[in-house]
Amino acid sequence: MGDLFLVRHGETEWSRSGRHTGSTDVPLTEHGREEARRLAPLIRSHRIGAAFVSPMQRGRETAELIGLHDVRVDVDLRVGCPLWGRDYGGYEGVTTVEIQRERPGWFLFRDGVAPGPPGRPGESPEQVGRRADRMLGKVDAALAQTEGAVVLVAHGHILRVLTARTLGLPAADGALFQLATGAVCRLGAEHGRPVIAGWNVRPGP
């Protein structure tokens, strides 16, 4: 079976300023588009058997700029829906520094978010973990049907939690894996055990 490649979308105005981005469908900046284009040769150097992408425009545009074809849009990679994504509830569009003024020591992966307006209750770390496990079930099925790799193009927090769950760690341990915009990571196996084969790779110009 092939490896699993995780691609975080390119830069947006909100990712650049550190604002938590959930259901707000923020587009890529021009720099974010260039970040995505730089990943194309790296992805093309591997045989890709299947690719999944978040429905958010920043994910879909990144996948297109990378040159992925026959991409499956999957709601389990989405951000901002209480059923499907990292719903930031009352913290949508707010930075960590601003949150910590009211909640000193607040930490997303441990503490979750405050409830937002109706329909935006916020998503706990455990809920994100269950969603990641669902996505990994789809990845395993895809890997079993192809000799190539699987690519996921999505958002920083869900990809970090996916990594933790792949390695058998609690969802909250996604905090251990810093992930930049426009970066690719590679998860593989060694002696039958899951390993990180490459992390936070960002090709130069």
Side-chain angles (χ1 to χ4, degrees):
M1 293 192 298
D3 290 339
L4 172 60
F5 287 91
L6 309 177
V7 179
R8 184 181 176 191
H9 63 75
E11 178 195 79
T12 68
E13 291 288 352
W14 280 26
S15 69
R16 182 166 59 191
S17 60
R19 299 168 70 184
H20 293 294
T21 316
S23 60
T24 308
D25 206 0
V26 184
L28 299 180
T29 62
E30 189 51 47
H31 177 68
R33 295 183 183 96
E34 183 58 29
E35 286 182 319
R37 293 185 190 102
R38 290 176 184 174
L39 293 176
L42 191 156
I43 297 298
R44 283 200 301 264
S45 67
H46 297 275
R47 179 178 179 183
I48 305 302
F52 299 85
V53 65
S54 160
M56 310 305 280
Q57 64 172 315
R58 54 194 181 274
R60 290 184 286 107
E61 186 175 8
T62 296
E64 180 180 346
L65 291 170
I66 288 173
L68 293 172
H69 303 287
D70 300 320
V71 179
R72 308 177 207 179
V73 175
D74 197 293
V75 294
D76 276 333
L77 291 173
R78 183 175 177 171
V79 176
C81 172
L83 293 178
W84 303 318
R86 165 50 89 176
D87 175 14
Y88 289 108
Y91 293 159
E92 177 78 8
V94 184
T95 68
T96 295
V97 171
E98 291 169 332
I99 296 168
Q100 289 178 342
R101 289 186 189 130
E102 297 184 3
R103 294 180 63 182
W106 174 82
F107 184 53
L108 174 64
F109 285 92
R110 180 191 63 218
D111 302 322
V113 299
R120 296 286 308 286
E123 188 179 30
S124 71
E126 292 75 21
Q127 288 173 310
V128 181
R130 289 193 290 273
R131 179 164 51 85
D133 289 344
R134 285 199 304 270
M135 192 68 233
L136 288 173
K138 300 171 194 177
V139 168
D140 288 342
L143 286 170
Q145 297 170 11
T146 179
E147 296 181 0
V150 171
V151 180
L152 305 183
V153 182
H155 314 276
H157 286 129
I158 182 59
L159 294 178
R160 293 167 70 174
V161 172
L162 276 162
T163 299
R165 298 302 299 138
T166 298
L167 299 175
L169 301 172
D173 282 353
L176 301 173
F177 308 106
Q178 184 185 55
L179 182 53
T181 58
V184 62
C185 308
R186 183 177 182 179
L187 304 181
E190 184 178 52
H191 306 302
R193 299 176 63 86
V195 296
I196 297 174
W199 190 260
N200 227 14
V201 177
R202 303 175 78 188

